[in-house]
Each structure stands twice: as C-alpha cells, then as structure tokens.
Amino acid sequence: MRSFRAAGAPALRAFAMLALGGTLFAEMSGCAEVPQPPGAMMAASDFCTSTRGHPAEFITLAFGLSIQGGGTVSAEQWADFLARVVTPRFPAGFSVIEAQGQWQNGTAAPVIREKSRLVWIAAQESRALDSKLDAIRDAYKKQFNQVSVAAFTQQGYASF
C-alpha cells in the first residue's frame, strides 16, 4: 500500500528531525504511568496531563516535483493541489517542508534527484486515515504523472 522514496541530504536532515520528534512523542504515547528514575525526563503521564494531549499518528508524505516527461510542479500548481486535495482531508492543519530528494525506481534504473515537498500531518488515529492518505497520494500521482508518493507513519502523542 505505501511506497518509499529515499531522501537526499537536506531532505534526510529534515526527515531525521521529524523522526527524532516522532520518537520522543512515541516514547510518551498513551498517557500510561511509566516509572522514571530520579532526574529522568518528565514522565509520560505528567506530560499527557499537563498538555491535555491525545494519542496521534504522525504522517510524512514525500512529493517529488519533477514531472515525468518534462517540467516541474509550479508553485501555483502545488498551492492548488494543497487547497483542493490535502486541506479538505486535513482541515485542522499540516506543515509543508521544502526538500531536495532522490529516489530510484528499481535497482537497474538511474538515481533521480529532484526538488520535493514533505507534508507533515499530526492526526488522530481513525479508520478513515488510510483512505485519506491514499486519496492524496493517488491524486498527486495522477495529476503530475508520478510513479510514487512516499508515506512514513509513526505512532505518538500530540498536544496543540
């Protein structure tokens, strides 16, 4: 169901920061009481209580901006795609990170380097979440002649 698109150096740094943040959130998920040694970080239950947060899923979608056959996705096309396809599915919000990525469509294919965008979403878990993500990925692939749109997910805890 979900594909993988490897990231280039700047995108890898951005993804590493997201993964680190997600790991910290994952360690605090569930608001369960976890015994902590003296001097340790705030207990998960204390964090959950103090921030009035909730369990969440953290999703990063990676969109390549090169169009197969020539051209790139323009700023106007990207803004229109976000407004028509992403925002209606995640109106509570998301973040967009500009990145430089690379990927390879099979071991015999050349490595493709391209500008890309990462869309980072923190959402409550639900049965509809996968279908929302699939709809976004499918729409982008169809509209911009893409082979794949990567999706990275992680369980955690969110408070806004």
Side-chain angles (χ1 to χ4, degrees), residues 43-136:
S45 59
D46 293 340
F47 180 82
C48 294
T49 302
S50 68
T51 61
R52 296 185 189 108
H54 55 84
E57 189 159 347
F58 301 96
I59 303 113
T60 303
L61 300 175
F63 299 89
L65 298 179
S66 297
I67 298 173
Q68 196 173 28
T72 59
V73 177
S74 70
E76 295 79 18
Q77 289 171 312
W78 175 253
D80 179 64
F81 179 80
L82 288 178
R84 285 184 310 96
V85 179
V86 181
T87 300
R89 288 172 175 84
F90 295 99
F94 52 86
S95 296
V96 177
I97 303 161
E98 292 188 27
Q100 180 66 39
Q102 72 177 43
W103 72 290
Q104 185 178 34
N105 190 19
T107 57
V111 173
I112 298 170
R113 292 170 181 84
E114 63 184 323
K115 289 184 178 182
S116 57
R117 300 278 190 279
L118 302 177
V119 173
W120 191 73
I121 304 162
Q124 288 189 338
E125 298 174 43
S126 73
R127 291 184 182 189
L129 189 55
D130 279 347
S131 63
K132 290 178 183 182
L133 297 174
D134 287 343
I136 291 168

